[in-house]
Every structure is written in structure tokens, then in C-alpha cells.
Amino acid sequence: AQSVTQLDSHVSVSEGTPVLLRCNYSSSYSPSLFWYVQHPNKGLQLLLKYTSAATLVKGINGFEAEFKKSETSFHLTKPSAHMSDAAEYFCVVKVASYDKVIFGPGTSLSVIP
Amino acid sequence: GAVVSQHPSWVICKSGTSVKIECRSLDFQATTMFWYRQFPKQSLMLMATSNEGSKATYEQGVEKDKFLINHASLTLSTLTVTSAHPEDSSFYICSASMGASNSPLHFGNGTRLTVT
């Protein structure tokens, strides 16, 4: 069975400090992994994706994520948080063999000035 | 590229009426479109998957007669909430896929439905 876990439902950081949003997945097949961001009352915007190429993936707005197969993790990081980063973040797994997309429960990021 | 337009962005309707939400892929052909429902402070719940020219596949617990999905072309899918009730009030989001197994989903900006 496939599943996605986001270990923190809420993360709060000070502006200018690093961000770490954690994601672990479970999949019997080689998955494609994505991070999306959602601002209030908006759709989801793709931040970055991992599709079996480089394990360190760089995305938009200074975000990056590292795929670690041994840890079944795909944590999202950013060196310095900005106020505009405050939003909901979803880790998503896509299992090609099932053509199925599985969403994590989401992590709400707050940035304190 | 890969823009998905969803319309309307918000709608208020009276109980018992029907509401249609459109989802268009503007610069690509979407072989598959997905419809989600999102409750406050929760993740997205997949309602149904639609492929162009065929009937939608609904997730367990989703009433197909209440949430009518039409995917008439490779760039347009519609969700009609029939005989809406206040409990149908929610945020509905569509997404579209180009079809490749490792391609990401592209999301519309969502529709806030309020049924009074």
C-alpha cells in the first residue's frame, strides 16, 4: 500500500531562519514525489518534483528537497524563510503503475516577523 | 506553461439549485482530470477521475448522481453539483494531467461554493 506522512501538522519559524518540512512515504514501487504549496483560498502550486533523476531537487522560491530512498523521505527545506512562505504545504506521491496520486495531510507553515 | 483555469472562483447559490464548475487546461491537452474537495484545514479529498470521452470514476462514498462530471474534450472538464444543500458548501479544486507517469498535476485555483 502507498501512503504519505507529514510528521508536523504545523511548523512555526522566524523570518530569516531555515525551514524544514518533513515527509515520509511508503510505496511498493518507485514513486514520483512532489511538493505543492497552497495559499489561503487558492489552488495548489508545484514547488518541485523528484522523478528518479538527481536526488537533490531544486524548486521555485528557494526551496529544495532531497530524496533519500533508505529513509523513504523527501523533506522540504529552505535556507531562509520569508513572510510570503506562510502557507500550507503538501507532499504528494504519484505511483505510476497505479496512476494514483496520494496526498499527505499537509503542514501549515507560519513565519514570525 | 501548464496552466489550469477554474471558473468560477467563488459562487453562492440557494439550496436546491445546481451549480456548474469549469476546469480548463489552457496550454496543454489533459488526458485525465481530477476533482477534489477540501474541507477547512484539511488535505484534498479525491472525488473522481475523468478521462476525455469516457465516464468518470468516482471514489467510494461520492454520489455520482449528485456530482456530475463531464469531460467532453481534452481541455475541458465540468463538475455540476446538483440540488445543492448547505452540506455541499466546500472548496472544490480540479487538476489536470498530461498523462506521462511522472508528470506532475497542475491545479486550478479552486472554487469556493457556499449553499444558503
Side-chain angles (χ1 to χ4, degrees):
Chain A
Q2 288 73 40
S3 66
V4 180
T5 304
Q6 290 181 244
L7 298 169
D8 305 298
S9 59
H10 184 80
V11 170
S12 183
V13 301
S14 297
E15 189 177 17
T17 64
V19 176
L20 170 64
L21 303 182
R22 295 182 291 170
C23 172
N24 288 86
Y25 70 93
S26 170
S27 176
S28 304
Y29 301 87
S30 295
S32 295
L33 298 159
F34 309 87
W35 274 98
Y36 287 86
V37 60
Q38 183 182 33
H39 288 91
N41 293 311
K42 293 291 186 182
L44 276 69
Q45 180 184 19
L46 179 66
L47 281 177
L48 48 80
K49 63 179 181 179
Y50 166 77
T51 56
S52 75
T55 56
L56 182 62
V57 181
K58 293 188 184 298
I60 63 171
N61 301 336
F63 284 96
E64 61 181 42
E66 186 172 8
F67 173 70
K68 293 185 176 181
K69 186 175 182 179
S70 61
E71 299 177 9
T72 60
S73 68
F74 190 56
H75 301 334
L76 182 70
T77 60
K78 182 173 180 176
S80 176
H82 192 272
M83 294 298 295
S84 60
D85 295 328
E88 191 80 17
Y89 291 79
F90 293 98
C91 181
V92 177
V93 172
K94 189 176 183 186
V95 183
S97 61
Y98 291 111
D99 194 25
K100 195 98 173 158
V101 174
I102 301 164
F103 280 83
T107 298
S108 176
L109 175 65
S110 297
V111 181
I112 303 167
Chain B
V3 176
V4 175
S5 174
Q6 188 173 340
H7 179 81
S9 56
W10 61 269
V11 58
I12 301 173
C13 71
K14 291 186 176 180
S15 189
T17 61
S18 295
V19 173
K20 179 184 285 188
I21 303 170
E22 290 188 351
C23 181
R24 294 181 184 272
S25 57
L26 296 186
D27 51 2
F28 67 99
Q29 292 187 326
T31 55
T32 306
M33 287 188 171
F34 304 87
W35 287 95
Y36 299 85
R37 184 172 179 175
Q38 186 179 32
F39 293 99
K41 299 191 183 301
Q42 293 189 26
S43 190
L44 278 68
M45 181 189 77
L46 179 65
M47 298 174 66
T49 303
S50 73
N51 293 293
E52 184 263 340
S54 61
K55 289 185 178 180
T57 301
Y58 289 81
E59 296 297 304
Q60 192 172 11
V62 178
E63 298 176 61
K64 60 182 66 176
D65 293 331
K66 178 165 200 53
F67 299 101
L68 299 179
I69 291 172
N70 183 279
H71 194 161
S73 75
L74 284 170
T75 59
L76 173 64
S77 177
T78 60
L79 167 68
T80 301
V81 183
T82 63
S83 186
H85 288 95
E87 56 266 30
D88 299 325
S89 298
S90 192
F91 193 58
Y92 293 88
I93 305 176
C94 72
S95 71
S97 169
M98 295 183 190
S101 61
N102 61 1
S103 64
L105 293 181
H106 302 283
F107 289 83
N109 275 333
T111 297
R112 171 71 60 193
L113 171 63
T114 302
V115 184
T116 60

